[in-house]
Amino acid sequence: MALSCNNTLFPKPFFTSCSSQTQGTHFSNLPQPTKQDPIFKIKGPSTLSGHITISGSKNASLPLLAATLCCSGTSLLHNLPNVSDIQAMASILSSLGAKVDAFDGKMRVNSDGVGKVEVDLEEMKKIRGGFFVIGPLVARFGEAVVALPGGCNIGKRPVDLHLRGLRALGAVVELRDGKVWARAANGRGLVGGKFRLDYPSVGATETLMMAASMADGTTMLSNVAKEPEVVDLARFLTDCGAWIEGAGSDNLIIRGKRQLYGSECVIKPDRIETGTFMLAAAITRSCILLSPVIPSRVSCLIDKLSQAGCKISRLDQQTLQICNLKQWHFSLHALVPAWWRSPCLTTV
């Protein structure tokens, strides 16, 4: 069975030319995902071959889309992945009043027209990542009403750190009727503060980073997540005018700004998708090419697979060749848990 990059297995970005004349999200020309059986039937053994184009990172895209709510003017995001979560987040932004245009693998967002701070319940049910908007809404508009997260089958992933962190920044936070009601206690906006996360949650770190970027004063966050997606968000916010120091370390120092402005960014390749296909080549004793990739973001997996007998070559700045044509030196059972425990690939 050959693994080729065709439009059926690996579709091009779903964004097509869209009208920008009217308010809201314009998805009239977008092919809608087709419903499939929730079971994959795989017949093996077989080997894989060919080249795979790695999509932009979903875990980076969602907080970046939410961060556009912090900004006056227009933001432009490139290389968004073809997944339903992106459409769901665009719908959430549009339902709040933002103007969202999708075209050629890009998304343009202007949040100047945001006129409400309560996210539609049905929209929130579709996607856990929609909860990211609570930080920007409270920071910029002084209040937010967001349903508790849905759309995730991984298991229970509480948002208590997000809420406690917002309280540390001067928000009054209440839970009523399955929704989070948050507002600035002083009636104006959030204020700088100190907060230590119980554990380095990526979602809480990103939510609080967005909130603190517009808080009045300096915020110090400790025991924060260090994942690449956190660094990508910090870089985007900085390009928008925020002052953030320490991204990629255990501690963040953020000096709030009264106003941020839209910027432009390119979503980095998805490191989890990259790692998944690297493992696919390894376990089927195959040889495949992957691009674009950022090798430093999968360095832990490269080391482990190399130890297991795979030959991994860097053909250019963003192309990896993964070949495994021999028996493994140790079991996949021992390898996979080590990969998922690695900070290079773990996301909370």
Side-chain angles (χ1 to χ4, degrees):
M1 172 182 164
L3 181 62
S4 59
C5 187
N6 59 56
N7 288 335
T8 301
L9 291 177
F10 306 101
K12 299 294 183 182
F14 62 81
F15 306 107
T16 59
S17 179
C18 303
S19 168
S20 59
Q21 302 300 313
T22 59
Q23 179 77 12
T25 310
H26 308 295
F27 289 141
S28 58
N29 296 326
L30 301 184
Q32 297 302 310
T34 58
K35 287 192 175 182
Q36 300 178 355
D37 293 336
I39 298 174
F40 289 103
K41 296 181 180 180
I42 303 171
K43 184 179 180 180
S46 60
T47 57
L48 312 177
S49 64
H51 171 265
I52 299 171
T53 300
I54 301 299
S55 306
S57 168
K58 183 206 75 170
N59 287 342
S61 300
L62 295 178
L64 285 167
L65 284 169
T68 63
L69 291 173
C70 293
C71 305
S72 300
T74 299
S75 297
L76 180 61
L77 306 185
H78 300 255
N79 197 36
L80 290 155
N82 180 14
V83 294
S84 59
D85 281 8
I86 300 302
Q87 295 186 42
M89 179 61 89
S91 294
I92 287 174
L93 298 179
S94 181
S95 71
L96 294 171
K99 183 177 181 181
V100 184
D101 297 310
F103 58 98
D104 300 330
K106 308 176 183 69
M107 189 170 287
R108 183 185 294 118
V109 183
N110 186 305
S111 61
D112 289 344
V114 170
K116 56 182 291 190
V117 294
E118 181 171 1
V119 180
D120 181 75
L121 179 60
E122 293 304 312
E123 296 289 348
M124 277 297 298
K125 287 180 179 179
K126 299 176 184 177
I127 172 178
R128 176 183 171 81
F131 197 75
F132 279 124
V133 302
I134 192 170
L137 287 176
V138 178
R140 185 176 175 188
F141 303 103
E143 58 182 328
V145 182
V146 182
L148 289 170
C152 179
N153 294 322
I154 291 179
K156 185 177 181 181
R157 291 193 286 172
V159 294
D160 57 310
L161 292 181
H162 308 57
L163 307 186
R164 286 166 49 203
L166 289 173
R167 290 188 180 106
L169 299 181
V172 175
V173 181
E174 300 175 356
L175 294 175
R176 301 200 308 266
D177 303 322
K179 298 179 181 179
V180 177
W181 301 67
R183 59 180 175 82
N186 60 15
R188 299 186 303 275
L190 298 177
V191 295
K194 295 181 180 180
F195 183 70
R196 178 179 176 82
L197 281 71
D198 294 345
Y199 57 91
S201 161
V202 175
T205 299
E206 293 170 331
T207 297
L208 298 178
M209 185 195 304
M210 289 186 278
S213 67
M214 299 190 73
D216 182 15
T218 299
T219 296
M220 300 179 66
L221 302 175
S222 57
N223 196 31
V224 298
K226 299 180 285 187
E227 272 75 358
E229 292 78 18
V230 173
V231 177
D232 292 344
L233 178 60
R235 183 178 294 116
F236 174 71
L237 289 170
T238 299
D239 289 343
C240 295
W243 194 100
I244 301 172
E245 184 178 271
S249 72
D250 294 319
N251 303 293
L252 288 172
I253 300 176
I254 305 165
R255 296 177 184 170
K257 298 293 184 70
R258 290 185 177 180
Q259 191 168 19
L260 301 180
Y261 301 91
S263 186
E264 186 172 358
C265 76
V266 178
I267 308 298
K268 299 293 192 296
D270 194 310
R271 61 198 174 103
I272 296 179
E273 182 179 320
T274 301
T276 299
F277 285 119
M278 290 174 68
L279 282 172
I283 63 178
T284 57
R285 300 177 66 184
S286 303
C287 190
I288 62 174
L289 297 175
L290 304 177
S291 70
V293 300
I294 302 177
S296 62
R297 294 193 172 187
V298 288
S299 58
C300 300
L301 186 57
I302 289 174
D303 291 345
K304 289 294 183 181
L305 289 177
S306 297
Q307 293 171 24
C310 293
K311 182 180 179 181
I312 301 177
S313 306
R314 185 170 175 175
L315 302 186
D316 57 39
Q317 288 292 98
Q318 56 180 4
T319 304
L320 288 182
Q321 182 183 59
I322 301 92
C323 294
N324 179 35
L325 303 178
K326 62 178 73 173
Q327 294 291 338
W328 288 57
H329 293 172
F330 53 85
S331 71
L332 182 65
H333 176 75
L335 171 66
V336 174
W339 171 45
W340 284 110
R341 287 196 301 268
S342 166
C344 292
L345 286 158
T346 301
T347 298
V348 177

Short mmCIF file of all heavy atoms in Angstrom, two decimals, residues 4-6 10-13 50-56 79 269 273-274 277 289-293:
data_model
loop_
_atom_site.label_atom_id
_atom_site.label_comp_id
_atom_site.label_asym_id
_atom_site.label_seq_id
_atom_site.Cartn_x
_atom_site.Cartn_y
_atom_site.Cartn_z
N SER A 4 0.69 8.03 -0.59
CA SER A 4 0.96 9.15 -1.48
C SER A 4 0.19 10.37 -1.04
O SER A 4 -0.82 10.28 -0.35
CB SER A 4 0.58 8.79 -2.92
OG SER A 4 -0.79 8.45 -2.99
N CYS A 5 0.67 11.52 -1.45
CA CYS A 5 0.03 12.77 -1.05
C CYS A 5 -1.02 13.16 -2.07
O CYS A 5 -0.80 14.01 -2.92
CB CYS A 5 1.08 13.87 -0.89
SG CYS A 5 0.42 15.39 -0.22
N ASN A 6 -2.17 12.49 -2.02
CA ASN A 6 -3.24 12.85 -2.94
C ASN A 6 -4.30 13.64 -2.21
O ASN A 6 -4.30 13.73 -0.99
CB ASN A 6 -3.84 11.60 -3.60
CG ASN A 6 -4.39 10.62 -2.58
OD1 ASN A 6 -5.23 10.99 -1.78
ND2 ASN A 6 -3.91 9.38 -2.60
N PHE A 10 -4.77 13.44 1.81
CA PHE A 10 -4.16 14.63 2.38
C PHE A 10 -4.61 15.84 1.58
O PHE A 10 -3.90 16.33 0.71
CB PHE A 10 -2.63 14.52 2.35
CG PHE A 10 -2.14 13.28 3.01
CD1 PHE A 10 -1.75 12.19 2.26
CD2 PHE A 10 -2.12 13.19 4.38
CE1 PHE A 10 -1.32 11.04 2.87
CE2 PHE A 10 -1.69 12.06 4.99
CZ PHE A 10 -1.29 10.96 4.25
N PRO A 11 -5.82 16.34 1.85
CA PRO A 11 -6.38 17.43 1.05
C PRO A 11 -5.60 18.72 1.23
O PRO A 11 -4.98 18.95 2.26
CB PRO A 11 -7.80 17.57 1.61
CG PRO A 11 -7.72 17.03 3.00
CD PRO A 11 -6.72 15.91 2.93
N LYS A 12 -5.66 19.54 0.21
CA LYS A 12 -5.08 20.87 0.30
C LYS A 12 -5.87 21.69 1.32
O LYS A 12 -6.99 21.35 1.69
CB LYS A 12 -5.15 21.57 -1.07
CG LYS A 12 -4.37 20.84 -2.15
CD LYS A 12 -2.89 20.85 -1.86
CE LYS A 12 -2.11 20.18 -2.99
NZ LYS A 12 -0.67 20.13 -2.71
N PRO A 13 -5.28 22.80 1.81
CA PRO A 13 -6.03 23.64 2.75
C PRO A 13 -7.42 23.95 2.21
O PRO A 13 -7.58 24.21 1.01
CB PRO A 13 -5.16 24.89 2.85
CG PRO A 13 -3.77 24.38 2.61
CD PRO A 13 -3.93 23.30 1.57
N GLY A 50 6.57 7.45 -0.50
CA GLY A 50 6.12 8.72 -1.04
C GLY A 50 6.45 9.90 -0.15
O GLY A 50 7.22 9.80 0.80
N HIS A 51 5.85 11.02 -0.48
CA HIS A 51 6.07 12.29 0.23
C HIS A 51 4.77 12.76 0.86
O HIS A 51 3.71 12.70 0.24
CB HIS A 51 6.60 13.35 -0.74
CG HIS A 51 6.64 14.72 -0.15
ND1 HIS A 51 5.62 15.64 -0.31
CD2 HIS A 51 7.57 15.33 0.64
CE1 HIS A 51 5.93 16.76 0.34
NE2 HIS A 51 7.10 16.59 0.92
N ILE A 52 4.85 13.26 2.09
CA ILE A 52 3.68 13.77 2.80
C ILE A 52 3.92 15.23 3.13
O ILE A 52 4.95 15.58 3.71
CB ILE A 52 3.41 12.98 4.09
CG1 ILE A 52 3.14 11.52 3.76
CG2 ILE A 52 2.23 13.58 4.85
CD1 ILE A 52 3.07 10.63 4.99
N THR A 53 2.96 16.07 2.79
CA THR A 53 3.01 17.48 3.16
C THR A 53 2.38 17.65 4.54
O THR A 53 1.21 17.30 4.74
CB THR A 53 2.27 18.34 2.13
OG1 THR A 53 2.88 18.18 0.86
CG2 THR A 53 2.32 19.82 2.54
N ILE A 54 3.14 18.16 5.48
CA ILE A 54 2.67 18.33 6.85
C ILE A 54 1.84 19.60 6.95
O ILE A 54 2.23 20.67 6.47
CB ILE A 54 3.85 18.38 7.83
CG1 ILE A 54 4.68 17.10 7.73
CG2 ILE A 54 3.35 18.60 9.25
CD1 ILE A 54 3.92 15.84 8.06
N SER A 55 0.70 19.49 7.59
CA SER A 55 -0.22 20.63 7.76
C SER A 55 0.30 21.60 8.81
O SER A 55 1.19 21.28 9.60
CB SER A 55 -1.60 20.13 8.18
OG SER A 55 -2.10 19.17 7.29
N GLY A 56 -0.30 22.78 8.83
CA GLY A 56 -0.04 23.72 9.91
C GLY A 56 -0.59 23.17 11.22
O GLY A 56 -1.52 22.36 11.23
N ASN A 79 -1.33 29.32 6.45
CA ASN A 79 -1.04 27.89 6.65
C ASN A 79 -1.92 27.25 7.73
O ASN A 79 -1.45 26.43 8.51
CB ASN A 79 0.44 27.68 6.99
CG ASN A 79 0.87 26.23 6.82
OD1 ASN A 79 0.42 25.54 5.91
ND2 ASN A 79 1.75 25.76 7.68
N PRO A 269 4.53 24.12 11.06
CA PRO A 269 4.10 22.74 10.79
C PRO A 269 3.74 22.00 12.07
O PRO A 269 4.33 22.24 13.13
CB PRO A 269 5.32 22.11 10.12
CG PRO A 269 6.12 23.26 9.59
CD PRO A 269 5.89 24.39 10.55
N GLU A 273 1.58 15.77 14.04
CA GLU A 273 1.36 15.11 12.75
C GLU A 273 2.69 14.58 12.19
O GLU A 273 2.76 13.46 11.67
CB GLU A 273 0.72 16.09 11.76
CG GLU A 273 0.41 15.49 10.41
CD GLU A 273 -0.24 16.49 9.47
OE1 GLU A 273 -1.08 17.28 9.93
OE2 GLU A 273 0.10 16.49 8.27
N THR A 274 3.73 15.40 12.30
CA THR A 274 5.06 14.96 11.86
C THR A 274 5.48 13.69 12.59
O THR A 274 5.89 12.70 11.97
CB THR A 274 6.10 16.07 12.13
OG1 THR A 274 5.73 17.26 11.43
CG2 THR A 274 7.49 15.63 11.66
N PHE A 277 3.56 10.43 11.50
CA PHE A 277 4.00 9.81 10.26
C PHE A 277 5.41 9.23 10.38
O PHE A 277 5.75 8.25 9.70
CB PHE A 277 3.90 10.81 9.10
CG PHE A 277 2.49 11.04 8.64
CD1 PHE A 277 1.92 12.30 8.70
CD2 PHE A 277 1.73 9.99 8.15
CE1 PHE A 277 0.62 12.51 8.28
CE2 PHE A 277 0.43 10.19 7.72
CZ PHE A 277 -0.14 11.45 7.79
N LEU A 289 9.19 10.58 2.87
CA LEU A 289 9.66 11.96 3.00
C LEU A 289 8.58 12.81 3.65
O LEU A 289 7.40 12.65 3.34
CB LEU A 289 10.00 12.55 1.62
CG LEU A 289 11.13 11.88 0.82
CD1 LEU A 289 11.22 12.52 -0.56
CD2 LEU A 289 12.45 12.03 1.55
N LEU A 290 8.98 13.72 4.54
CA LEU A 290 8.05 14.62 5.21
C LEU A 290 8.54 16.06 5.05
O LEU A 290 9.72 16.35 5.28
CB LEU A 290 7.94 14.30 6.70
CG LEU A 290 7.54 12.89 7.11
CD1 LEU A 290 7.58 12.76 8.64
CD2 LEU A 290 6.16 12.55 6.60
N SER A 291 7.64 16.96 4.69
CA SER A 291 7.96 18.39 4.67
C SER A 291 6.64 19.18 4.62
O SER A 291 5.62 18.65 4.16
CB SER A 291 8.84 18.75 3.46
OG SER A 291 8.10 18.65 2.25
N PRO A 292 6.61 20.42 5.09
CA PRO A 292 7.71 21.05 5.83
C PRO A 292 7.70 20.59 7.29
O PRO A 292 6.64 20.34 7.86
CB PRO A 292 7.35 22.54 5.72
CG PRO A 292 5.85 22.54 5.67
CD PRO A 292 5.46 21.31 4.91
N VAL A 293 8.87 20.49 7.86
CA VAL A 293 8.98 20.12 9.27
C VAL A 293 10.00 21.05 9.93
O VAL A 293 10.84 21.66 9.25
CB VAL A 293 9.41 18.65 9.46
CG1 VAL A 293 8.42 17.70 8.84
CG2 VAL A 293 10.80 18.41 8.88
#
